[in-house]
Amino acid sequence: MSTAPVWSVDPRTGKPREQVAVEAGEREVDEAVRAAWAARGALADRGARAALLRAAAELLDGAVEQVVSVADAETALGQVRLTGELARTTAQLRAFADVVDEGAFLDVRIDHADPSRTPPWPDLRRMKVPLGVVAVYSASNFPLAFSVPGGDTASALAAGCPVVVKAHPAHPATSELCASLLRRAAVRVGLPQEVVALVHGFDAGVALVRHPLVAAAGFTGSVRGGRALFDAAAARPVPIPFHGELGSLNPVVVTREAAEERGEEIGAGLGASMTLGVGQFCTKPGFVLAPAGSGGDALVKALTEVVGDAGAGVMLDHRMREAFVAGVASRAALDGVEAPVAPGSGGEHTVRPGFLTVAASALAEEGPYDELLEECFGPVTVVARYEHPSEIGAVLSRLPGNLTATLHLSAGEAAGSDGGGAASLLATLTGLAGRVLVGGWPTGVAVAPAQHHGGPYPATTSTSTSVGATAVERWVRPVVYQDAPEGLLPGELREGGGVGVPRWVDGRCEAPTPPLP
């Protein structure tokens, strides 16, 4: 049994605020998982889980002042940012309630028996069912939207899976508060509160992914931590899906024509995006390919002004601050690397934003500059200046997978007047990321049905998304019933389809039949 205290710490001062819990040992993790597993049957009713999601959103909205106050005290993200994040979180919960009501994610398919075929077809009825207990590992940089009440939890509950959340040590009090609200929501709609559980501590996180009753896991965090858990999930006697978001450089390509046309505008937009939230967004543009010459110079000048005017900021905790300061110092010390605005320590508890520049040719082959092609969490970006367009492809070919990739084009290139060059660049970036932007900046992820927040490794460990309606698909698996008696089938698979879900029957799409009043 673990008795190590869990403290809430003020990142603005580095001082403990209060003890909020104790770290969970293997026994406590086992108890939480077994209780969640025992409660899974209560989530079989789609109406009940849709009601749970809406009740959770209502309770969180009703506690907005308390939630934002506690989260700000632990993260220093500010009330404006956190109020917006809470609104996004509750909208996400309601969106998944709508997904549950619609039922399309069940992918119901029925093929009636057909003895005239060779060989004959039996009666086949297919749908997706919940995996079981889901382990959720909270993110540091989103204490609400990617933590206890966030997208992994919401989508897992929507799928019918109980959740055991491993709290992030940067915001344990916020985690406890949000978990209590989710459990209250469960009780309010007649569900056992054990459908949501919370544990603290590094060892608890390891024990959670290894527990035999945990059926899948969702993670948002570092490459090192995520890869360790991913390997543990794969090494189990029964491996489980591990949907991890680990790290992303989020490259940006600016064509020469775009820089000549609007270099100043692009530089200003880049500065605003990379410093947003003290550079602590998983979609921060951390690497930029920009041309040498006057257009690129205008971009760098505007970037210098925006970043130079940005004040020092407090990172989520002092461990991340120290990693940022060491990381930018190591990169800035490389020969040929310049710092028009030097990133680094801004004081005992703060950091200064900045950016580095380097010749793109130095990155075209493996060598001492490879560190510049790795994510540095915090308010810094690397601008690689290319002399010839061929250097763009050479550098991009060396990048790992990413959540996003952004292409800035001139008006003419966007209209297709460049002979296919823009289309070729877009195709190259498509191979690198899960979300490809043409213009704009990647910070900010719309919670929309068509959204995809994922990408090739190490951006994520699977091809799934953690944002958008299809995030629910991570927590279900298909099952087909062959020649099963009508009375034994789930309601969605019975004749008549009076349960309000779309179905494919004998190859034709059937609109859902409204449920009985």
Side-chain angles (χ1 to χ4, degrees):
M1 177 177 177
S2 176
T3 57
V6 175
W7 287 89
S8 172
V9 177
D10 184 346
R12 294 180 173 97
T13 64
K15 295 180 179 180
R17 297 177 56 249
E18 60 176 333
Q19 181 182 339
V20 299
V22 295
E23 293 186 355
E26 286 193 14
R27 190 186 77 180
E28 291 84 7
V29 171
D30 180 65
E31 290 173 351
V33 173
R34 290 187 180 279
W37 186 82
R40 72 195 189 285
L43 291 174
D45 184 333
R46 286 192 298 120
R49 56 190 196 250
L52 165 60
L53 293 166
R54 293 189 175 102
E58 182 179 343
L59 287 174
L60 284 162
D61 281 340
V64 58
E65 291 185 5
Q66 183 183 10
V67 171
V68 168
S69 176
V70 173
D72 179 53
E74 290 191 306
T75 66
L77 288 173
Q79 292 195 357
V80 173
R81 151 72 193 272
L82 289 166
T83 300
E85 185 180 334
L86 181 58
R88 166 187 171 162
T89 302
T90 57
Q92 195 165 244
L93 286 161
R94 293 185 175 96
F96 278 114
D98 293 340
V99 168
V100 174
D101 286 340
E102 182 190 41
F105 74 97
L106 297 172
D107 194 23
V108 175
R109 295 175 182 269
I110 298 173
D111 289 317
H112 290 101
D114 188 351
S116 68
R117 290 181 177 266
T118 305
W121 278 12
D123 185 89
L124 298 171
R125 298 174 185 240
R126 181 185 189 272
M127 67 178 292
K128 292 181 178 177
V129 299
L131 288 177
V133 178
V134 170
V136 170
Y137 294 81
S138 293
S140 62
N141 56 338
F142 281 87
L144 304 172
F146 281 87
S147 292
V148 174
D152 284 351
T153 297
S155 58
L157 292 173
C161 297
V163 172
V164 179
V165 183
K166 190 271 179 186
H168 195 279
H171 41 77
T174 308
S175 299
E176 285 285 346
L177 174 58
C178 290
S180 70
L181 292 169
L182 293 184
R183 289 193 288 263
R184 280 176 53 195
V187 173
R188 174 181 286 190
V189 300
L191 292 171
Q193 66 176 5
E194 289 81 8
V195 296
V196 177
L198 182 70
V199 296
H200 297 265
F202 175 84
D203 291 341
V206 176
L208 190 56
V209 80
R210 291 175 174 168
H211 197 286
L213 294 182
V214 168
F219 172 90
T220 302
S222 69
V223 173
R224 181 180 178 183
R227 184 55 194 257
L229 291 171
F230 175 68
D231 291 345
R236 291 168 37 131
V238 179
I240 60 171
F242 183 89
H243 301 285
E245 180 190 321
L246 310 188
S248 186
L249 196 60
N250 303 305
V252 177
V253 175
V254 182
T255 66
R256 188 174 301 279
E257 291 76 7
E260 292 292 342
E261 184 176 274
R262 51 191 178 88
E264 184 176 344
E265 175 189 332
I266 294 171
L270 172 61
S273 182
M274 58 145 291
T275 58
L276 185 66
V278 199
Q280 296 173 115
F281 280 72
C282 53
T283 52
K284 179 202 74 178
F287 181 77
V288 182
L289 280 160
S294 59
D297 290 344
L299 184 156
V300 170
K301 180 181 178 182
L303 178 61
T304 300
E305 293 174 354
V306 171
V307 176
D309 288 343
V314 177
M315 295 191 71
L316 293 160
D317 63 31
H318 279 60
R319 178 183 58 84
M320 294 177 191
R321 177 191 174 277
E322 291 166 4
F324 171 78
V325 171
V328 295
S330 175
R331 289 163 171 80
L334 294 168
D335 288 341
V337 173
E338 297 180 356
V341 180
S345 175
E348 185 179 359
H349 306 294
T350 60
V351 296
R352 292 192 321 273
F355 70 98
L356 309 174
T357 61
V358 68
S361 58
L363 304 172
E365 296 181 1
E366 184 177 351
Y369 297 93
D370 287 358
E371 188 177 8
L372 298 173
L373 301 180
E374 299 173 1
E375 180 186 19
C376 185
F377 190 72
V380 66
T381 196
V382 174
V383 180
R385 306 288 299 272
Y386 62 86
E387 297 285 348
H388 190 274
S390 62
E391 295 174 27
I392 298 175
V395 175
L396 291 179
S397 69
R398 302 197 59 239
L399 296 188
N402 294 270
L403 293 170
T404 75
T406 302
L407 179 59
H408 281 275
L409 303 170
S410 68
E413 289 172 317
S417 64
D418 65 337
S424 178
L425 276 174
L426 192 65
T428 299
L429 294 177
T430 298
L432 286 174
R435 177 163 59 107
V436 183
L437 298 84
V438 180
W441 300 100
T443 38
V445 183
V447 183
Q451 185 61 272
H452 185 86
H453 188 65
Y457 185 86
T460 51
T461 59
S462 70
T463 59
S464 301
T465 178
S466 60
V467 179
T470 55
V472 71
E473 296 174 2
R474 296 174 294 170
W475 319 120
V476 293
R477 65 180 179 87
V479 172
V480 62
Y481 297 91
Q482 181 170 323
D483 294 329
E486 174 90 1
L488 299 182
L489 289 169
E492 292 88 350
L493 295 179
R494 296 180 184 181
E495 292 298 313
V499 290
V501 299
R503 313 192 307 175
W504 285 87
V505 179
D506 296 329
R508 296 184 298 275
C509 183
E510 283 188 355
T513 302
L516 295 173

